[in-house]
Amino acid sequence: QVHLAESGGGLVQAGGSLKLSCAASERASNRNTMAWFRQVTGKEREFVASVSWYGLTNYADSVKGRFAPSRDNAKNTLYLQMNSLKPEDTAVYYCAASSRSGSIFQMATYDYWGQGTQVTVSS
């Protein structure tokens, strides 16, 4: 069975930090690139950051220097450390995993998705 389950979202003041976690089934995480996307109601889901099985990371320009993805392959868990949070970071954050080839920045590349966790940053 394949599953991804995010946790760690919540309400934080601007400038604060949060760490998201995504617990994945072995089938979802094994040898796969995993990523974080986010979505604001009424807008398209957008790429935030990714980390390959071997630890190669990529970031959206909007989060470079503030967010850092990481993973623990032994625990099948993906993380997103978010620092210096801004009100514009408010969104539902989704964990995703890809067993396909393709652009890591595109939703279509990912075949497994979590249900999302809400992050709200107050000004």
Side-chain angles (χ1 to χ4, degrees):
Q1 190 171 359
V2 176
H3 73 263
L4 297 170
E6 303 92 341
S7 61
L11 174 64
V12 64
Q13 288 189 331
S17 298
L18 279 177
K19 186 174 184 177
L20 305 183
S21 299
C22 173
S25 61
E26 183 175 1
R27 179 178 171 184
S29 68
N30 191 33
R31 305 292 174 183
N32 291 339
T33 290
M34 297 186 74
W36 292 97
F37 283 73
R38 67 186 181 186
Q39 188 170 22
V40 176
T41 302
K43 295 188 177 181
E44 291 189 357
R45 195 169 297 186
E46 65 175 7
F47 173 83
V48 175
S50 66
V51 55
S52 72
W53 176 259
Y54 300 103
L56 179 65
T57 56
N58 284 278
Y59 304 84
D61 288 343
S62 60
V63 305
K64 280 181 181 176
R66 300 189 299 120
F67 290 12
S70 62
R71 63 191 294 169
D72 184 333
N73 292 334
K75 296 181 178 180
N76 298 318
T77 302
L78 173 71
Y79 303 98
L80 183 67
Q81 179 66 49
M82 304 186 294
N83 300 324
S84 301
L85 282 159
K86 304 175 181 180
E88 52 263 43
D89 295 319
T90 295
V92 177
Y93 284 71
Y94 295 90
C95 170
S98 174
S99 63
R100 306 168 180 165
S101 60
S103 170
I104 59 167
F105 303 102
Q106 300 297 321
M107 285 182 59
T109 301
Y110 296 86
D111 38 2
Y112 307 125
W113 291 88
Q115 294 300 307
T117 185
Q118 175 71 47
V119 171
T120 303
V121 184
S122 63
S123 58

